[in-house]
Amino acid sequence: MRLSRAAEYAVRCMLYLSTAGKGVLVGRRTIAREMDIPEQFLGKIAQQLARAGLIEIIQGVKGGFRLVVPPDELTLLMVIEAVIGEIFLNDCMLWPESCGRSPVCKVHVVWENARNQLRETLRKATFSSLITESPVLSPDAHSSLSLLNP
Amino acid sequence: MRLSRAAEYAVRCMLYLSTAGKGVLVGRRTIAREMDIPEQFLGKIAQQLARAGLIEIIQGVKGGFRLVVPPDELTLLMVIEAVIGEIFLNDCMLWPESCGRSPVCKVHVVWENARNQLRETLRKATFSSLITESPVLSPDAHSSLSLLNP
DNA sequence: GATAAATCAGACATTTTTTATCCTATTTAT
DNA sequence: ATAAATAGGATAAAAAATGTCTGATTTATC
C-alpha cells in the first residue's frame, strides 16, 4: 500500500526541475547527486516521465533533462501515474469482471470513493505550490546554491 | 500502490462472518470455500485478525472462527490495518528522520492529507453497512444458502 | 572528422515482498 | 482413544521492485 521508491524519486526529480524552471536544461548527474537518486535508475525513471510528455531528454555532451510542462500545470498525480501507472487501490476495481462481486458489492463503492479522493488530492497539488517557500533540497546539499542563486 | 491479496481475503472473510452475525462460529473450510480463499492462507490471515481482537479462533473438532466485534462497529480500516499494518502511503511519512525534508517539504503535507482522507473513508465503512442489501457471495456459491437461510 | 562526454535501451542481477504450502503439534467433541 | 479441526514455524515459489552493466547513439568541441 506504499508508494514505490521510483515514484518518490520521480517526484524529487520534478521538484528539482520545477525549481530550475520550465525549459531549463539540467544534467542527469546533477539531479541524481542533489536529490539522492541512483543515477542509472534516474535514467529509467526519466524515460517514463518523457514518454508521459512531462520532460524532454537531451542527448549528447551537455545533455540532460528539461521540464516541458510549467510547474503550475504539473501535478503530483501526473508525475506519480507516469511512473506507476494509473492508481488503483485494489484489484477487483481494476478487473471487475474477474471478481464477480464488483457492481453489486458495496465494498467496491467504498474503494472507488477512496481512489477518487486520493487522485483528486494529488491532482490539486501542483509543483509550483509545492516549491514555494519550502526548501526542496536537503540541508547538506551545498552545491545546490549554484542553481538557486545563479 | 495496491491492496495486498491477504487484505482482500481478510475483508471477504469478515464479510462472511458479518453476514453470519457476531459470535456465530463458522468453520475455516467453509469460509475458504465460499469466499474463494486458500484455506491454509486463510489460517494465517485469521491469526492476524485474532491478534487484533477482531475474531476469536476456536480449535478442535467443530472449531472455526467467530466474530468478536459487532458488524456495526467493525470497519474496513480495522480489518485492513490488522493485516497490512497501519496505512502509510509513502516512506518519508513513516520515517521522517531518514528523509530530512519532512517537516518543511510541502509534498509531505499533501501525502499526509491523502493518508488521513483515505483512512477516514475506510473508517466510515462499517461492515453492517457493507452487507445490507448487497450480496456478499458470488452468484455460483449455492451452498451459501445454508447460511443465509438456515 | 576524431574525440570525449553525455544519455538510451535492453538485459541481467539482487533484494524484498507477497503468496502461498508443508508438516508436526495441539486442541477438543464424541 | 480417536478423529476432525486449527496453530504455528519452516520453507518454497512467484512476483515485484530496485538497481546495475554494457554496448549503442547522440552531440559539442577540438
Side-chain angles (χ1 to χ4, degrees), chain B residues 27-28 39 44 47 57-61:
Chain B
R28 184 178 71 179
E39 193 186 334
K44 295 298 175 199
Q47 288 173 23
I57 300 178
I58 309 298
Q59 284 202 27
V61 189

Side-chain angles (χ1 to χ4, degrees), chain B:
Chain B
M1 206 66 184
R2 274 192 257 138
L3 198 63
S4 71
R5 188 161 303 200
E8 175 79 25
Y9 288 158
V11 172
R12 286 196 211 165
C13 172
M14 296 307 254
L15 282 172
Y16 195 92
L17 288 176
S18 293
T19 304
K22 176 188 169 188
V24 177
L25 189 65
V26 185
R28 184 178 71 179
R29 176 162 306 156
T30 304
I31 301 175
R33 179 174 9 97
E34 300 295 319
M35 301 307 275
D36 256 320
I37 308 172
E39 193 186 334
Q40 305 273 358
F41 197 20
L42 175 57
K44 295 298 175 199
I45 294 165
Q47 288 173 23
Q48 298 181 276
L49 294 171
R51 264 181 240 126
L54 304 183
I55 68 172
E56 191 183 2
I57 300 178
I58 309 298
Q59 284 202 27
V61 189
K62 301 231 172 192
F65 311 145
R66 71 159 59 115
L67 196 58
V68 167
V69 177
D72 62 318
E73 291 176 17
L74 184 67
T75 70
L76 264 186
L77 185 68
M78 290 163 74
V79 172
I80 284 163
E81 292 200 332
V83 172
I84 68 172
E86 196 177 340
I87 289 179
F88 289 94
L89 295 182
N90 60 352
D91 279 339
C92 291
M93 243 164 59
L94 190 48
W95 297 291
E97 64 279 9
S98 74
C99 172
R101 300 176 185 83
S102 168
V104 276
C105 182
K106 292 187 176 176
V107 180
H108 292 91
V109 176
V110 174
W111 279 110
E112 196 169 340
N113 287 340
R115 168 177 183 258
N116 290 337
Q117 268 187 353
L118 173 58
R119 295 185 78 232
E120 201 49 46
T121 298
L122 296 180
R123 199 196 321 275
K124 280 180 191 154
T126 68
F127 273 71
S128 65
S129 77
L130 292 175
I131 61 177
T132 55
E133 295 174 25
S134 165
V136 149
L137 297 157
S138 57
D140 58 312
H142 314 292
S143 46
S144 66
L145 295 173
S146 61
L147 173 67
L148 297 174
N149 310 317

